Amino acid sequence: MRSLRGNDQSVVRALNRNALLNMLLHEAPLSRVQLRERSGLSGAAVTAVIAELIEDGLVEEQATGPSTGGRPPVLLTVNYGARAAVGFKLMERGLDAVLANLGGEVGNHVRCDLPDTRPETVVQTAAEVTARLLDGSGVPRERLVGLGMGLPGVIDTESGVCVHSSYLGWHGVPIAELLERATGVPTVIDNDVNAFAAAERLFGHGRQARHLAVVTVGRGIGSGLVANGRTYRGARGGAGELGHTVSERGGRACDCGKRGCLEAYASEPALVARAREAAPDLPLPDIHAVLAQRSDARIGALLTDAGERVGVALANLVNLFNPELIVIGGEGVRLGEPYFSALRRTLRENAFDGLADDLPVVVEPWGDEAWARGAASLAISRTFDLEVT
């Protein structure tokens, strides 16, 4: 972070503005006096910034609080409907998109198929869907704070480049720039699990957590890490590849080209493949069929084994990262028992002395728009959490 010069008033004001907005997001309603006490800013600075935010429509005076002897304080809150963001979850065969307000509430949701995942196809479709979302909700384009896109792969968020995505067949694609050019709206991209973590940090179970791990299970297994209230992406944007930690050295082949990865044992495609091997007499075309046979001892043992493998991986994550909360999401939440009971038991058995004793492990109910809502949170988070670099 660069040092702030005393005459760099625009940067100082932007930092103050976002600090107060972020405070109201997490703690509203608050009075101006409470904002001054919590932020350490002067009364004049708080008054000036709040006046600006009210004029912009981002903050509103909601009610009066109890009097402590003088005039009752006026309480302030965020006007979540003042702005909106579009979020995209990019998949191999489709695009999920939502229009969400600053509180993460989804006002419009569109899901469309993609004929292919060439960057030009994705950009054109995203631009068309953005127009559909705005037209369908009556939100003018100038009220958009930005677009967010979550996609699988290694993402350089600062440059807006998809460095590598084996799922999409992309290498070095400047997708954020292409989207901005097509839509005229500022765009931020990130790994899809980091996008999900952004939603949990802003609006979900992690609102009060400074150190948070979000784990997704489904076609793949990934994690998003929030350290000190900030997403941790690593040196090249590749942090969180939990599914490619080694579960069994020299074991089953993984789609990444390596052997023994956790995904090769505990992802949904891996479970289907392993179930067919373990129970060749059963019709098991997909994960739904596998789960329908969970009462079969062979399938039950397989689900337990997969849950234990993920539990060990999470114990390693806890030992290294020491989060205060783990949130599990993704299509894999439908795996149910005995998968999750084995996961929790093995996590606690293998975590270092006391680190998992009081650690909440929350399984987040899955919805079709959850990923796209997370992507919208990427753009929304820029409104509340300004980083000066």
Side-chain angles (χ1 to χ4, degrees):
M1 180 176 288
R2 68 177 178 176
S3 61
L4 299 178
R5 300 184 301 275
N7 62 352
D8 200 348
Q9 293 302 314
S10 62
V11 174
V12 172
R13 179 169 293 189
L15 286 170
N16 292 346
R17 175 187 173 99
N18 282 269
L20 296 183
L21 258 181
N22 198 36
M23 210 166 289
L24 286 170
L25 172 69
H26 290 93
E27 301 181 53
L30 294 172
S31 69
R32 289 170 175 80
V33 171
Q34 289 172 316
L35 286 171
R36 176 176 58 79
E37 293 171 346
R38 284 166 167 75
S39 67
L41 298 174
S42 69
V46 169
T47 298
V49 170
I50 291 300
E52 181 181 299
L53 290 171
I54 290 175
E55 184 178 351
D56 288 347
L58 288 169
V59 168
E60 56 188 2
E61 295 178 333
Q62 185 182 57
T64 55
S67 173
T68 57
R71 178 184 299 174
V74 176
L75 299 179
L76 304 165
T77 189
V78 176
N79 179 12
Y80 293 109
R83 301 287 190 277
V86 171
F88 297 105
K89 160 61 173 165
L90 178 59
M91 301 162 288
E92 284 179 291
R93 300 179 182 85
L95 193 68
D96 258 333
V98 299
L99 182 73
N101 68 15
L102 293 181
E105 296 173 343
V106 173
N108 204 352
H109 176 216
V110 172
R111 184 168 193 171
C112 60
D113 295 330
L114 288 171
D116 57 72
T117 56
R118 292 180 302 150
E120 54 267 36
T121 301
V122 171
V123 169
Q124 179 181 345
T125 304
E128 293 170 354
V129 168
T130 297
R132 285 173 58 189
L133 287 169
L134 293 174
D135 291 343
S137 61
V139 174
R141 190 174 292 259
E142 57 268 23
R143 281 177 54 193
L144 286 181
V145 297
L147 309 182
M149 176 174 281
L151 58 157
V154 177
I155 310 300
D156 185 336
T157 300
E158 292 304 314
S159 66
V161 172
C162 173
V163 178
H164 169 75
S165 176
S166 56
Y167 289 130
L168 302 172
W170 288 7
H171 302 278
V173 176
I175 187 66
E177 179 185 344
L178 296 174
L179 286 168
E180 285 188 12
R181 197 180 302 162
T183 63
V185 180
T187 301
V188 57
I189 66 167
D190 208 338
N191 175 271
D192 48 10
V193 186
N194 285 341
F196 190 39
E200 284 297 319
R201 180 173 67 88
L202 282 175
F203 312 117
H205 298 283
R207 287 185 67 172
Q208 304 303 321
R210 299 288 294 169
H211 306 280
L212 166 70
V214 173
V215 177
T216 56
V217 178
R219 168 171 177 170
I221 298 173
S223 65
L225 306 176
V226 176
N228 243 356
R230 298 285 184 183
T231 301
Y232 178 74
R233 298 182 176 88
R236 299 176 59 194
E241 290 292 346
L242 189 69
H244 297 291
T245 57
V246 177
S247 182
E248 191 166 314
R249 190 175 177 217
R252 298 176 67 89
C254 180
D255 287 343
C256 73
K258 305 286 194 304
R259 285 191 169 272
C261 295
L262 179 63
E263 275 189 17
Y265 291 88
S267 66
E268 288 192 347
L271 284 170
V272 174
R274 295 179 67 196
R276 290 171 180 167
E277 296 169 6
D281 55 309
L282 296 177
L284 301 171
D286 54 31
I287 192 63
H288 300 287
V290 171
L291 296 178
Q293 299 287 346
R294 72 175 77 234
S295 60
D296 184 287
R298 296 166 295 180
I299 303 301
L302 182 62
L303 290 169
T304 297
D305 175 77
E308 288 175 346
R309 290 177 183 272
V310 177
V312 168
L314 290 183
N316 290 334
L317 185 151
V318 168
N319 293 344
L320 290 169
F321 178 58
N322 189 22
E324 59 194 284
L325 171 68
I326 294 177
V327 179
I328 300 177
E331 306 97 322
V333 300
R334 62 191 169 195
L335 296 175
E337 305 302 332
Y339 185 94
F340 282 107
S341 59
L343 181 155
R344 287 190 172 94
R345 170 178 50 78
T346 312
L347 163 60
R348 302 194 190 285
E349 287 175 353
N350 290 275
F352 181 68
D353 190 19
L355 292 185
D357 287 354
D358 300 311
L359 177 66
V361 179
V362 179
V363 178
E364 175 72 24
W366 182 250
D368 288 339
E369 64 196 34
W371 288 100
R373 179 174 179 262
S377 298
L378 295 172
I380 293 169
S381 67
R382 291 291 176 94
T383 301
F384 293 104
D385 296 310
L386 180 70
E387 294 185 58
V388 180
T389 57

